[in-house]
Amino acid sequence: MTAERLVGLTSWHADWSGLRVAVLGLSVTGFSVADTLAELGADVLVVTEKADEEYAALLPVIGARLWTGSLDRVPAELVAFEPDVVVASPGFAPSHPVIAWVQDAGIALWGDIELAWRVRDKVVRPDGSAADWILITGTNGKTTTTRLTATMLSAGGLRAAPVGNIGTPVLDAVRDPAGFDALVVELSSHQLWYLGLQRGAERVSPHAAVCLNLADDHLEWHGSAEAYRDAKALVYDNTRVACVYNKADPATRRMVEEAEVVDGARAIGFDLGIPGPSDLGVVEGILVDRAFLEDRRTSALEFATLALLAESGLSAPHIVSNILAAAALARSLDVDPSAIRQALQGFRLDPHRIEVVAVTGGITWVDDSKATNPHAAASSLAAYPGAVWVVGGLLKGVDISDLVAGRGATAKAAIVIGEDRTAVVAAFSRHAPGVPVFEVDGAETEDVMAQVVEVAVDVARDGDVVLLAPAAASFDQFSSYADRGRRFAAAVKKRLGGGADGEHDVDPDAPGAASA
């Protein structure tokens, strides 16, 4: 009867009472899951290796139980609980022993996105419908595109929220009593893997979706590049209106071609070239839409110019691509081009995304600490060719050789940091032997960026750019990519003085563990 009951749980107003649910993990996502299920009347057991004190204290208040301890093996308490369904936080990889036990035991396995989709009708619009969902994924640019899309929708008069992997759980937005017209959902490959387990009427069916790009990342979590690619491709499944893809990345086109979509869904391409019908692109410095207008074969709608974007620091090629993708998603919900232009005029990038932290002595210091994989770093290096490149960290099983051989070979110098320095230095030795390499060896967290800045000051000259674009995760020496970027900016300020142009405070608690 449990399987039959789960099939029917596709509404907030269904009978969830007494359902035994084990929640794996107690981060912000895990707590949102436990809180939601407790409100619905389910019997909730949270299982986690360690618990934040605040969340742990709140669990008994909402009526949920907590078990903490090693998860190297399946806890006896979890087995004895006999859950009807397990909802896992996205950090739990397919190979995790608890996940393997759940699947071997035939227990239903969901992620938080699956649960949020099932209960999305808690607050509905005046016509009785739930908010439209727009899904965004990609190896790089997800957060920027999610913020851009939500900003464009809001400028167009819609109540929209950026949620998901960006930091705010989807379940928090679903339960917001004011309600939304659209939820712009950033999805990691981890969250998409869990969505791929679902079948039938409970499958997520977005209004529109995009995979911005694809490059190897998180291979240690998925087990292979193919598995990572297959997870990303799931973003398009069951899309109703618009499958937006990157014409410059053939992998995203193939994803759309292979996706199972709702009849009538259109493929909408974008890139930096002249757009064809059903595309968005750039014509003589003007960003145009040839997809969402009646006479798209002979006409185009202008919504921005490269000159306008440059005024807001948005003219780097990969940022322009993000803007085109976001505009396509916004246009799929009938947002007027004038509203998109208005949104772009007030938009600013997140801290640690190609952020100029100082311009002093003729040298520009740029923090792109959010470039946590080679694909992202390649975009940064394309925006700043010939930079003094600060690179390194945790490579997450990804080979950096192609990046070094390509974009890295044009760097003025490389300053290598992090746990995986040996692999980075070896890549330069093999593929870019003409680039001077300086290794910051064995530095403690407090000293890493001070040493980086000292080396950079010796190397850089008037007109140069010093670019922090690590192409690697930060958790070997820093608490997050935000912590890494903040320490870089602070070291620059301390060494060169506080009057540099472009400096501003950044949030050290900005989401730093977002996954691709």
Side-chain angles (χ1 to χ4, degrees):
M1 292 296 293
T2 299
E4 294 178 7
R5 186 181 181 193
L6 291 178
V7 169
L9 295 179
T10 57
S11 169
W12 180 272
H13 308 289
D15 181 11
W16 295 78
S17 60
L19 188 75
R20 294 189 306 278
V21 185
V23 178
L24 303 183
L26 191 58
S27 61
V28 62
T29 297
F31 182 79
S32 74
V33 170
D35 193 27
T36 299
L37 289 164
E39 185 178 352
L40 287 164
D43 182 6
V44 180
L45 173 67
V46 177
V47 176
T48 185
E49 288 191 336
K50 56 183 178 180
D52 178 276
E53 289 185 9
E54 180 181 359
Y55 289 145
L58 286 172
L59 286 181
V61 176
I62 65 174
R65 289 172 285 162
L66 173 65
W67 181 92
T68 59
S70 173
L71 293 179
D72 291 342
R73 62 182 62 184
V74 181
E77 290 81 357
L78 176 58
V79 177
F81 182 61
E82 297 184 342
D84 300 315
V85 60
V86 172
V87 183
S89 295
F92 284 81
S95 59
H96 193 284
V98 176
I99 299 300
W101 171 77
V102 171
Q103 294 190 295
D104 289 344
I107 301 168
L109 179 60
W110 302 349
D112 68 300
I113 306 300
E114 157 75 358
L115 175 61
W117 179 257
R118 286 174 177 259
V119 300
R120 67 192 183 281
D121 62 345
K122 183 180 191 297
V123 181
V124 296
R125 293 176 285 189
D127 65 0
S129 63
D132 288 311
W133 282 29
I134 291 177
L135 306 186
I136 297 173
T137 196
T139 302
N140 296 297
K142 297 184 297 297
T143 297
T144 298
T145 305
T146 300
R147 289 184 57 230
L148 279 163
T149 304
T151 302
M152 291 173 183
L153 294 176
S154 296
L158 299 176
R159 181 169 165 79
V163 295
N165 192 57
I166 197 171
T168 301
V170 184
L171 284 163
D172 286 0
V174 165
R175 294 181 294 156
D176 188 316
F180 293 95
D181 297 306
L183 298 181
V184 186
V185 186
E186 177 186 326
L187 292 176
S188 70
S189 60
H190 304 171
Q191 291 169 311
L192 285 162
W193 182 84
Y194 280 98
L195 277 187
L197 302 176
Q198 314 310 324
R199 296 291 182 269
E202 67 272 20
R203 289 173 60 204
V204 172
S205 184
H207 175 90
V210 64
C211 181
L212 298 165
N213 43 57
L214 183 74
D216 287 352
D217 201 7
H218 293 285
L219 303 189
E220 79 292 351
W221 197 96
H222 290 278
S224 69
E226 292 74 19
Y228 175 69
R229 179 267 178 201
D230 290 346
K232 287 295 192 186
L234 292 166
V235 75
Y236 292 115
D237 278 5
N238 230 17
T239 299
R240 303 194 314 274
V241 174
C243 295
V244 179
Y245 69 95
N246 186 348
K247 292 169 61 183
D249 191 333
T252 66
R253 178 192 290 270
R254 288 193 294 272
M255 291 178 187
V256 173
E257 292 171 345
E258 297 168 3
E260 296 181 8
V261 301
V262 175
D263 286 346
R266 294 173 55 199
I268 308 296
F270 71 90
D271 69 0
L272 301 180
I274 297 174
S278 289
D279 295 339
L280 281 77
V282 182
V283 180
E284 297 180 353
I286 301 172
L287 281 66
V288 299
D289 165 19
R290 289 191 65 192
F292 297 98
L293 66 163
E294 289 187 10
D295 188 16
R296 59 179 181 264
R297 295 200 172 275
T298 59
S299 302
L301 296 174
E302 172 186 342
F303 59 88
T305 66
L306 294 179
L308 171 71
L309 299 182
E311 293 175 3
S312 301
L314 302 174
S315 59
H318 59 299
I319 302 300
V320 177
S321 290
N322 295 160
I323 290 168
L324 290 165
L329 297 169
R331 291 287 291 140
S332 77
L333 278 170
D334 298 322
V335 172
D336 192 84
S338 63
I340 294 175
R341 182 182 182 91
Q342 175 189 341
L344 291 171
Q345 287 175 322
F347 189 85
R348 296 296 181 269
L349 294 173
D350 277 342
H352 319 298
R353 172 63 80 196
I354 59 170
E355 178 185 9
V356 176
V357 297
V359 180
T360 183
I363 300 170
T364 302
W365 300 78
V366 179
D367 168 15
D368 198 15
S369 183
K370 201 171 183 183
T372 58
N373 56 58
H375 189 276
S379 296
S380 299
L381 290 164
Y384 296 102
V388 176
W389 180 23
V390 183
V391 55
L394 283 175
L395 293 175
K396 300 177 292 183
V398 175
D399 188 352
I400 202 170
S401 296
D402 287 346
L403 173 63
V404 171
R407 298 293 185 185
T410 67
K412 178 172 184 175
I415 304 173
V416 183
I417 64 174
E419 183 174 299
D420 292 336
R421 294 189 307 278
T422 300
V424 178
V425 172
F428 274 97
S429 178
R430 289 193 305 270
H431 303 292
V435 176
V437 175
F438 303 88
E439 188 174 352
V440 174
D441 187 7
E444 297 295 329
T445 297
E446 296 297 328
D447 301 325
V448 174
M449 289 307 174
Q451 293 187 32
V452 165
V453 172
E454 287 300 326
V455 174
V457 166
D458 288 341
V459 173
R461 296 293 180 266
D462 188 6
D464 284 344
V465 172
V466 179
L467 173 65
L468 172 65
S474 58
F475 302 113
D476 52 342
Q477 294 179 312
F478 306 96
S479 63
S480 66
Y481 74 75
D483 179 45
R484 179 170 59 189
R486 179 176 60 83
R487 290 178 183 275
F488 174 72
V492 172
K493 181 176 181 179
K494 183 175 181 179
R495 175 63 173 79
L496 302 174
D501 296 335
E503 292 180 359
H504 56 80
D505 293 335
V506 296
D507 179 10
D509 296 319
S515 49

